[in-house]
Amino acid sequence: MPFGLLNAPPTFQRLMDMFCRNLPAMAYLDDIIVLSPTFDQHLLDLVTVFLKLKDYKLRANRSKCHFACSRVKYLGLWITSRGIEVDPDKVSAVQKIPPPRNVKQVQSFLQTCSWYRKFMPNFSEIARPLSNLTKNKIVWTWTASEQNAFTTLKNCLVSPPILSQADFTKPFVLRTDGSSYALGAVLLQGADMEEHPIEYASRLLNSAERNYSTTEREALAVVWALNKFRGYIEGSKITVASDHQPLKWLMKLKSPSGRLARWALQLQSFDLNLEYIPGKSNVVADMLSRLDYDQEIPSCEENTVSIDFPARSPMEIREEQLKDEDLRKIIHCFENDDKDVNHANWLERGYLMNQGVLYRFSHDSESEEAQLVVPTHERDKILKEHHDSPNAAHYGSDGTYQRIAKRYFWIGMRKFITNYVKNCLDCARFKA
């Protein structure tokens, strides 16, 4: 085939795809790899491949062929009996790269390291200071933060983890997490001590995605990860393990629209099993999406500021919920490793956990957010804020209910609000 033609590579690849059909072999352009479980089977497979090469009138360069190897270098990686490993020669070349002096050198370094990002659990977070330098209207400054990211990336390549090959006869486990600036995911197989990674993935959020609510970012992490690993998991059983429950919320929206409707349609093509895991157990995915940096490059951008109330930490909210006996039973049911019938019942009613805090999503609500479950001793405080305060304007029972129901939930909420409004002295005095 003539060199230099625009369509030469894809045309040749189509030929090789036809060649490898029904063969225990894979091909990327002119690189063919034959995989066999035993030595005797390998000899038989080689005979089959040679006969088909003869039928297709193709020839192999003897000096470039390697037979009966326990480990083989393929596409810049080493494929071994233990899994997929980084090529030490390639890594040593990266180690010799000096610190970049301009944007073009930063881009070249990131592109080189990106080839091995599947071996780095937190690549996008480590590289964030360097990625910021490549953005438009950013002034070039090489500080300790950029140097630390540069050094860390090179050190990560010295002893990267060994990724196991996927076994398509076994189910996959997908763990995801989303922070305020990044998404992280890891594809796993096996259980307990036999659990091993297939591939890591992470990416930064763009300016629009950073304006998403917490639930939307968690849902985005799952949708993005499923599409990222589609080549592995399509047609297989997948357990999605997350410390949030965005899929349960997303799949049961009464009238999804816009991106939520698109996400729901994408999820329908997968055989999903949803599993909630506490945040302390979701270590890998959590690490992928969160990594603190002391120094941050200031940006002069216009951003939408979203403030979530109440302005308390999840731990403080959780402590207040645990003081309510009924809510304590639900929380313990979710966090108990032995999932019983009660756990399924609470899930069916829309309850979910996020960062150790109990929420509830109403299937009949048009809201795209789950509501915080309020303990008994804090309900009067919620009413004072949304009915009695100067900004609340003493709405009627329906108006007050609609306002509170957007953010909070408790059993018997409408009746509680109606009685509270009826007994409001100011309402009785000025609205009579």
Side-chain angles (χ1 to χ4, degrees):
M1 175 174 288
F3 285 93
L5 296 179
L6 179 64
N7 293 326
T11 301
F12 188 79
Q13 183 62 50
R14 281 196 295 270
L15 172 66
M16 298 309 297
D17 290 341
M18 294 173 58
F19 170 82
C20 290
R21 195 172 297 163
N22 300 323
L23 282 181
M26 297 182 296
Y28 179 75
L29 294 177
D30 58 347
D31 289 329
I32 302 175
I33 181 171
V34 182
L35 306 172
S36 307
T38 64
F39 178 74
D40 293 335
Q41 183 62 42
H42 190 58
L43 295 179
L44 296 175
D45 292 340
L46 287 175
V47 171
T48 305
V49 171
F50 288 144
L51 290 175
K52 199 159 187 179
L53 283 171
K54 185 177 180 181
D55 292 339
Y56 275 68
K57 298 182 180 180
L58 297 173
R59 296 182 180 180
N61 189 333
R62 177 63 184 88
S63 62
K64 295 183 179 180
C65 294
H66 302 277
F67 302 101
C69 299
S70 58
R71 61 198 308 265
V72 61
K73 185 178 177 182
Y74 190 67
L75 298 180
L77 301 171
W78 281 99
I79 300 177
T80 70
S81 58
R82 296 190 300 168
I84 303 174
E85 303 177 19
V86 169
D87 181 9
D89 295 335
K90 299 286 185 183
V91 171
S92 62
V94 175
Q95 293 293 314
K96 297 176 182 177
I97 297 177
R101 290 177 292 181
N102 52 52
V103 174
K104 182 167 284 189
Q105 292 180 358
V106 170
Q107 291 174 334
S108 176
F109 175 73
L110 289 176
Q111 289 169 359
T112 302
C113 293
S114 184
W115 176 254
Y116 299 104
R117 67 186 301 156
K118 68 171 66 176
F119 294 90
M120 301 185 193
N122 50 354
F123 176 84
S124 65
E125 279 306 310
I126 296 174
R128 187 155 66 108
L130 300 180
S131 300
N132 289 338
L133 289 178
T134 64
K135 295 180 179 179
N136 295 331
K137 300 181 181 180
I138 294 296
V139 179
W140 172 269
T141 53
W142 189 264
T143 64
S145 177
E146 286 76 21
Q147 181 62 39
N148 179 55
F150 177 75
T151 305
T152 305
L153 279 178
K154 295 204 296 185
N155 291 339
C156 285
L157 290 174
V158 175
S159 55
I162 298 175
L163 300 180
S164 300
Q165 299 177 21
D167 184 352
F168 294 98
T169 63
K170 298 180 180 179
F172 290 92
V173 176
L174 179 63
R175 294 190 178 179
T176 65
D177 192 64
S179 68
S180 59
Y181 46 79
L183 305 177
V186 56
L187 185 64
L188 305 162
Q189 279 191 317
D192 300 328
M193 297 300 293
E194 296 183 356
E195 186 177 80
H196 54 268
I198 305 298
E199 187 171 335
Y200 298 100
S202 62
R203 75 168 176 87
L204 296 176
L205 296 173
N206 59 38
S207 57
E209 291 169 342
R210 290 175 189 172
N211 295 327
Y212 289 2
S213 65
T214 302
T215 307
E216 286 179 317
R217 286 197 298 267
E218 295 284 353
L220 174 63
V222 175
V223 175
W224 167 76
L226 288 171
N227 287 320
K228 176 73 175 178
F229 299 130
R230 179 182 288 272
Y232 289 107
I233 62 182
E234 195 165 33
S236 302
K237 289 187 178 295
I238 315 141
T239 298
V240 177
S242 176
D243 58 358
H244 201 72
Q245 291 180 331
L247 287 184
K248 184 70 70 173
W249 158 79
L250 179 59
M251 297 302 289
K252 292 191 176 182
L253 274 179
K254 185 177 181 181
S255 301
S257 60
R259 62 172 173 267
L260 300 179
R262 293 194 297 271
W263 289 351
L265 287 174
Q266 291 181 49
L267 297 177
Q268 291 177 5
S269 61
F270 297 97
D271 185 5
L272 298 178
N273 176 36
L274 313 180
E275 180 180 311
Y276 168 78
I277 57 174
K280 61 184 179 181
S281 301
N282 198 23
V283 178
V284 179
D286 192 66
M287 178 185 64
L288 295 176
S289 67
R290 292 176 174 83
L291 189 65
D292 293 332
Y293 284 99
D294 295 333
Q295 299 186 11
E296 186 71 31
I297 299 175
S299 62
C300 299
E301 297 180 355
E302 255 182 49
N303 292 309
T304 301
V305 178
S306 175
I307 304 176
D308 292 330
F309 293 98
R312 295 182 293 177
S313 68
M315 184 59 66
E316 292 173 335
I317 299 174
R318 173 186 172 85
E319 290 176 356
E320 295 301 325
Q321 288 183 335
L322 290 175
K323 293 178 183 178
D324 189 310
E325 184 177 354
D326 293 332
L327 300 189
R328 184 168 63 248
K329 291 179 181 179
I330 301 175
I331 294 173
H332 289 168
C333 180
F334 272 95
E335 296 182 342
N336 190 357
D337 294 334
D338 298 328
K339 307 300 182 186
D340 54 13
V341 178
N342 290 330
H343 176 262
N345 290 337
W346 294 126
L347 279 178
E348 188 64 27
R349 296 181 189 180
Y351 287 92
L352 53 90
M353 296 285 292
N354 179 33
Q355 298 181 354
V357 179
L358 184 64
Y359 292 83
R360 181 184 181 274
F361 173 74
S362 175
H363 302 161
D364 299 326
S365 173
E366 295 291 339
S367 174
E368 297 176 354
E369 281 289 331
Q371 290 78 45
L372 176 68
V373 181
V374 181
T376 305
H377 61 278
E378 290 197 340
R379 294 171 187 174
D380 285 332
K381 179 182 177 182
I382 298 295
L383 263 296
K384 289 178 181 179
E385 291 177 357
H386 292 78
H387 180 77
D388 298 348
S389 70
N391 294 331
H394 284 267
Y395 277 22
S397 57
D398 289 339
T400 304
Y401 173 80
Q402 294 297 332
R403 176 179 290 182
I404 294 177
K406 292 179 180 179
R407 310 192 67 90
Y408 305 102
F409 170 81
W410 65 85
I411 296 176
M413 184 168 65
R414 183 180 289 274
K415 183 177 180 180
F416 186 93
I417 294 173
T418 300
N419 292 335
Y420 186 93
V421 173
K422 281 183 178 180
N423 296 322
C424 177
L425 297 179
D426 290 336
C427 290
R429 181 184 306 168
F430 297 107
K431 292 185 179 181

